[in-house]
């Protein structure tokens, strides 16, 4: 079992449960993060927008009040630089020079004043193209600069426009780091969660598997065995306890059946023994000829009654799975040959041929005495029902880990109305002289060994009985 | 031969006592385990018949206790169950034998003889058997009647050997099935009879005194006189 448990673990319930639960957990946390991410990004933008709007208003105010002389550009430029230094920074090392720009255009749209990195022409072109207008700050993509700017503008009364731009670099970096950290932690947590769930369920389910193994042993042979229990007081151990309690009851019932059938058999057998003994004594003591005749037939009647009693009890016990099996490995082919050797002369006398197609040793693990009686029942049946000049064909082969024994004849076959319940007790064909227990016994013995018995009619009309019996696990030879 | 019969059913012990006495045994009867233990310590028996279903104890426990007490005599176990207990099998391997009820008297007597013979093997195993003018060479597996070689199959020779070893005593069909074919079955058909007819056809030639006799309702016997 241990060698086979590695491969199926991929398909095992533990694997599936942990996979699905991990998937659900991962998706859930991912959704929570996306929500959080949007919230943080929105908040950062709101803050930078508030700063930009305030600052551009101040600058507009300054530009309006400052006289348009030679000092204008210096005054406004310095104030713009001061404002740039106060720009909201998340990281202190980011240089103010390229994260903020100030741009003033004349009333004709030409560049009038520029504070920032570069000459400002690219920015001016982008502003013209995107048509940033006064009011709410907006995103501005500048050719040659990967990271967009957030730009706020205001119109000064003299017809010029003032633009204040703030690079979104810091904002993007903050969000990027947030994402990276989340993904790392997320991966860690998800794989940890998977491992924990997988090992927990596997531990729990391995107990279930041990129970299954034990139960299959009980099912096939040993009614005394019990499924393993644990100290933990969970559902699985409760299941084990319940199963064991059920097995206790079944075992008690089977034991009771044994006791009842045993005492019933005993009660009937003792008077039968006494009757038979007395008959035999009177036979040997008294006489020959005509006087002996009724005694002999009485003995024969007693024997028939005994046989019927034996078979009824056998079938009853086997139906209740209460046959005591003494399993030994033996060659079914050889057993059949011996039985054919025994039956062949009487069959030949009736004009019935019997042939075995096999020849290969086929070891099964079964109760030899019961198999003897089962085959004897089948052969007796054939002899009682087959007309002369018929042939009984026996075939023996291994199939799907079972020994398959097929008996076919070319006689009249089973009556159609009997066929469906052929293995029932007291089922007899028309004109049958038996007590209708033969095939019920055959079926019961096959079942008791974990095999099957099926009956049908062949295409040519003859009867066909197929019996499977478990092969021996080890070839003893 | 002293025999102890441990059987609680009065009906059975009655007729067994009579027929065993007729067969030449000195029979003591114990109706329960306690009496049997007491009798076994007081007297020495050559053979015991023990029924498994005793009122005061289990027959197997009784046998095991008697063995502990030093009783060496072989035991024939009578059982009312058809499915034979593993413990009975164990005893059977230990040299004892068992018989299920109901049984034929002839079979009981034959089994008792076998047990006694097994317990006191008289000399070495014979290689030849001779009954009247029938000779069996057990090494060469050949049989002759009045000096004439019989054409027997292997199985027929085994059957004839079994009859010869029990010459003069009745053997039942179930004994033949068990000893010759090695199976305890009760066929509903005349399988054993046909084998016997065939054997008889070869052994008892025309004009010869028939040796194999059928005892109706019981079994067969090979005449020794």
């Amino acid at each position: 079992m241990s060698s086979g448990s590695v491969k199926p673990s991929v398909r095992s319930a533990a694997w599936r449960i942990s996979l699905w639960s991990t998937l659900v957990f991962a998706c859930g946390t991912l959704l929570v993060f996306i929500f959080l991410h949007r919230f943080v990004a929105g908040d950062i933008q709101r803050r930078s927008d508030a700063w930009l709007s305030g600052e551009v208003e101040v600058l507009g105010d300054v530009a309006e009040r400052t006289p348009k002389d030679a000092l204008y550009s210096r005054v406004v430029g310095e104030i713009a630089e001061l404002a740039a230094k106060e720009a909201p920074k998340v990281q202190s090392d980011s240089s103010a020079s390229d994260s903020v720009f100030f741009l003033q255009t004349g009333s004709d749209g030409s560049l009038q004043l520029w504070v920032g990195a570069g000459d400002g022409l690219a920015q001016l072109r982008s502003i013209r193209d995107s048509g940033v207008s006064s009011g709410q700050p907006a995103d501005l993509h500048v050719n040659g600069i990967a990271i967009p700017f957030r730009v706020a503008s205001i119109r000064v009364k003299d017809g010029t426009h003032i633009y204040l731009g703030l690079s979104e670099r810091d904002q993007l970096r903050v969000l990027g780091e947030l994402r990276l950290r989340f993904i790392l932690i997320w991966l860690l947590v998800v794989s940890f969660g998977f491992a924990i769930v997988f090992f927990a369920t596997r531990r729990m389910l391995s107990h279930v598997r041990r129970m299954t193994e034990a139960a299959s042993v009980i099912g096939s042979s040993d009614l005394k065995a019990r499924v393993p229990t644990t100290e933990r007081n969970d559902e699985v151990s409760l299941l084990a306890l319940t199963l064991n309690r059920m097995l206790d009851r079944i075992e008690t019932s089977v034991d009771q059946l044994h006791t009842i059938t045993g005492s019933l058999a005993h009660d009937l057998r003792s008077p039968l023994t006494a009757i038979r003994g007395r008959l035999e004594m009177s036979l040997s003591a008294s006489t020959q000829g005509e006087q002996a005749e009724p005694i002999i037939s009485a003995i024969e009647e007693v024997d028939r009654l005994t046989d019927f009693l034996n078979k009824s009890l056998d079938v009853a016990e086997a139906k209740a799975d209460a046959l005591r099996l003494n399993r030994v490995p033996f060659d079914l082919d050889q057993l059949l040959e011996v039985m054919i050797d025994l039956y062949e002369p009487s069959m030949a006398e009736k004009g019935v041929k019997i042939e075995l197609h096999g020849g290969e040793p086929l070891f099964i693990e079964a109760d030899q005495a019961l198999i003897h009686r089962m085959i004897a029942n089948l052969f007796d049946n054939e002899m009682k029902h087959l007309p002369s000049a018929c042939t009984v064909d026996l075939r023996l082969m291994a199939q799907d880990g079972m020994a398959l024994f097929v008996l076919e004849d070319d006689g009249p076959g089973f009556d159609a109305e009997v066929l469906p319940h052929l293995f029932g007790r007291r089922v007899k064909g028309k004109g049958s002289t038996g007590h209708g227990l033969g095939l019920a016994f055959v079926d019961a013995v096959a079942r008791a060994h974990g095999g099957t018995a099926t009956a049908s009619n062949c295409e040519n009309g003859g009867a066909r009985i197929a019996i499977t019996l478990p092969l021996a696990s080890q070839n003893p030879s | 031969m002293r025999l102890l019969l441990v059987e609680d059913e009065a009906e059975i012990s009655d007729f067994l006592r009579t027929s065993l006495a007729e067969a030449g045994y000195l029979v003591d009867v114990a109706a329960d385990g306690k009496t049997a233990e007491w009798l076994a310590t007081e007297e020495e028996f050559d053979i015991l018949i023990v029924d498994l279903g005793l009122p005061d104890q289990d027959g197997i426990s009784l046998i095991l206790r008697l063995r502990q007490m030093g009783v060496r005599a072989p035991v024939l176990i009578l059982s009312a169950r058809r499915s034979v207990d593993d413990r009975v099998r164990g005893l059977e391997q230990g040299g004892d034998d068992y018989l299920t009820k109901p049984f034929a008297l002839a079979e009981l007597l034959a089994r008792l003889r076998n047990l006694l013979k097994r317990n006191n093997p008289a000399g070495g195993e014979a290689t030849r058997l001779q009954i009247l003018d029938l000779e069996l060479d057990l090494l060469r597996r050949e049989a002759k009647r009045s000096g004439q070689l019989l054409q027997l199959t292997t199985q027929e020779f085994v059957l004839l050997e079994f009859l010869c070893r029990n010459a003069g005593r009745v053997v039942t069909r179930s004994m033949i099935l068990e000893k010759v074919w090695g199976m305890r079955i009760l066929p509903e058909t005349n399988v054993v009879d046909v084998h016997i007819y065939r054997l008889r056809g070869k052994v008892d030639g025309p004009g010869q005194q028939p040796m194999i006799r059928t005892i109706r309702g019981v079994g067969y016997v090979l005449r020794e006189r």
Side-chain angles (χ1 to χ4, degrees), chain A residues 120-137:
Chain A
L121 288 174
Q123 277 84 354
L124 181 64
R125 238 188 335 272
S126 306
I127 285 167
R128 278 205 202 116
D129 290 348
S130 61
V132 175
S133 56
S134 53
Q136 278 299 306

Side-chain angles (χ1 to χ4, degrees), chain A residues 122-179:
Chain A
Q123 277 84 354
L124 181 64
R125 238 188 335 272
S126 306
I127 285 167
R128 278 205 202 116
D129 290 348
S130 61
V132 175
S133 56
S134 53
Q136 278 299 306
D139 283 335
L140 178 73
H141 293 270
V142 181
N143 277 342
I145 298 171
I147 299 155
F149 284 88
R150 194 80 181 159
V151 176
S153 68
I154 195 165
R155 192 173 179 273
V156 188
K157 278 194 182 125
D158 59 1
T160 64
H161 281 88
I162 285 174
Y163 297 95
L164 186 63
L166 177 64
S167 169
E168 290 180 11
R169 185 178 52 207
D170 279 344
Q171 184 189 342
L172 291 178
R173 187 187 299 152
V174 168
L175 291 175
E177 268 173 29
L178 189 67
R179 278 198 297 274

